[in-house]
Amino acid sequence: MINDELKMTNCFKKGEMNQEIDSLKSLVKLYIKMQDFEGVEKYRKKLFLAIEKNERLELLELIIKMNIECKDYDRALRLAKFYQKSDYVNASFLLVEIYERKDNYKTALDILFKLAKEYKNKRALKRIGEYYIYGYGVIKRDVDKGITLIQRSGLRSGREIISICYLKGMCGEEMIEKGFMALAQTTESSKTAALYVRWPLHFRLLRHMFSSLRNLRYNSHRQAPDCSKFGAGRSVPPA
């Protein structure tokens, strides 16, 4: 793998020496992938002068993400704030990610509120809803308010988050099965849904199902079954 990267680097360097812009772009992107800060800085300015604005912004975003992954948050913050001057919304979401990594959820939430209010950004509204659900950066955790905000965003990914809340029992035991069934319908298109649905023996769902079964037997026989003989921790006898 290392040898292949070296060969590619040498190939792109030859192209760059011949003033081939595509080779220069490929070289910088390869350095980004390799998380080679020196390589990026050596060719970044030259490339920025040779490409259009939209490509510069795309490249800048990749560099910011590289710094985030390498946990160089101070540098990532400086670049993201500079990026805001050209693309406020996308740069702001990068700032949110950086502040989240630094556990500064209050500042991240302030940015999200501005995006949702001034830019009518649905993605920001959904993210604010998640903050309320899990209590990030807010004065008081409020699951119901969080779900309402996510519903208002109208985003498909938001429905999955709500279903997960149901499955976890965050909205009451009676909603667990509804959450499970909703996620079960999207396992082929969502890895997240598949992870939750295939999570072996989800204890909340089983407890809800066993409770329903116990109530059904009680109503049928007019008396609750004596489960003590089946051992501690067993709520219903084995089939």
Side-chain angles (χ1 to χ4, degrees), residues 79-120:
L79 290 173
K81 289 177 180 178
F82 174 75
Y83 183 24
Q84 273 187 314
K85 298 176 182 178
S86 300
D87 188 341
Y88 186 86
V89 173
N90 285 330
S92 294
F93 276 113
L94 287 173
L95 282 172
V96 168
E97 183 177 353
I98 295 166
Y99 284 121
E100 286 178 344
R101 295 285 189 102
K102 292 167 66 68
D103 293 330
N104 188 348
Y105 293 103
K106 179 63 173 65
T107 301
L109 185 60
D110 289 340
I111 296 173
L112 290 170
F113 271 125
K114 184 173 182 178
L115 289 172
K117 184 176 181 180
E118 297 183 15
Y119 293 83
K120 309 300 180 185

Side-chain angles (χ1 to χ4, degrees), residues 5 21 25 56 67 70-71 87-88 94 103 105 111 155 172 179 212 216 218 228 239:
E5 290 178 343
I21 301 302
K25 284 192 288 187
R56 288 200 300 271
N67 282 278
C70 294
K71 299 183 179 180
D87 188 341
Y88 186 86
L94 287 173
D103 293 330
Y105 293 103
I111 296 173
L155 295 178
S212 299
L216 178 63
Y218 176 79
S228 59

Side-chain angles (χ1 to χ4, degrees), residues 120-132:
K120 309 300 180 185
N121 189 279
K122 295 181 179 180
R123 180 182 166 196
L125 187 61
K126 185 198 78 171
R127 197 81 181 109
I128 293 170
E130 293 181 73
Y131 273 45
Y132 273 102

Side-chain angles (χ1 to χ4, degrees), residues 11-227:
C11 179
F12 294 145
K13 281 183 178 179
K14 290 180 181 179
E16 182 272 330
M17 292 175 64
N18 294 325
Q19 304 300 314
E20 296 178 6
I21 301 302
D22 287 340
S23 293
L24 182 56
K25 284 192 288 187
S26 299
L27 178 61
V28 173
K29 288 182 179 180
L30 180 60
Y31 278 131
I32 291 173
K33 182 179 179 181
M34 295 167 60
Q35 298 183 343
D36 186 331
F37 288 85
E38 292 183 3
V40 171
E41 286 304 306
K42 183 177 180 180
Y43 294 99
R44 176 179 62 83
K45 293 181 180 179
K46 181 178 181 180
L47 178 58
F48 274 23
L49 292 172
I51 57 179
E52 298 295 327
K53 179 181 178 180
N54 62 326
E55 290 186 298
R56 288 200 300 271
L57 295 178
E58 178 186 338
L59 192 65
L60 181 58
E61 185 171 342
L62 290 175
I63 294 173
I64 294 170
K65 289 180 178 179
M66 177 190 71
N67 282 278
I68 293 174
E69 290 302 316
C70 294
K71 299 183 179 180
D72 190 348
Y73 300 130
D74 291 338
R75 180 174 177 79
L77 277 171
R78 290 196 300 271
L79 290 173
K81 289 177 180 178
F82 174 75
Y83 183 24
Q84 273 187 314
K85 298 176 182 178
S86 300
D87 188 341
Y88 186 86
V89 173
N90 285 330
S92 294
F93 276 113
L94 287 173
L95 282 172
V96 168
E97 183 177 353
I98 295 166
Y99 284 121
E100 286 178 344
R101 295 285 189 102
K102 292 167 66 68
D103 293 330
N104 188 348
Y105 293 103
K106 179 63 173 65
T107 301
L109 185 60
D110 289 340
I111 296 173
L112 290 170
F113 271 125
K114 184 173 182 178
L115 289 172
K117 184 176 181 180
E118 297 183 15
Y119 293 83
K120 309 300 180 185
N121 189 279
K122 295 181 179 180
R123 180 182 166 196
L125 187 61
K126 185 198 78 171
R127 197 81 181 109
I128 293 170
E130 293 181 73
Y131 273 45
Y132 273 102
I133 287 173
Y134 295 104
Y136 296 149
V138 296
I139 297 176
K140 183 179 180 181
R141 181 184 179 186
D142 191 332
V143 176
D144 291 336
K145 183 174 182 177
I147 288 177
T148 298
L149 291 171
I150 291 175
Q151 290 173 333
R152 280 176 51 193
S153 75
L155 295 178
R156 183 176 181 179
S157 57
R159 294 199 295 270
E160 182 173 85
I161 294 171
I162 294 172
S163 295
I164 291 172
C165 289
Y166 290 162
L167 180 62
K168 289 182 175 180
M170 298 170 72
C171 302
E173 296 285 325
E174 69 278 4
M175 300 299 289
I176 292 176
E177 190 170 352
K178 180 179 179 180
F180 181 87
M181 296 306 296
L183 291 170
Q185 295 175 8
T186 60
T187 53
E188 293 186 2
S189 58
S190 170
K191 291 182 179 179
T192 301
L195 178 65
Y196 276 94
V197 169
R198 294 168 187 170
W199 186 12
L201 301 179
H202 191 290
F203 75 95
R204 286 188 178 273
L205 179 62
L206 286 178
R207 187 172 65 181
H208 175 69
M209 293 173 65
F210 286 159
S211 176
S212 299
L213 180 59
R214 186 169 60 247
N215 291 336
L216 178 63
R217 290 185 176 182
Y218 176 79
N219 292 331
S220 298
H221 300 288
R222 297 298 179 181
Q223 60 180 9
D226 181 11
C227 300

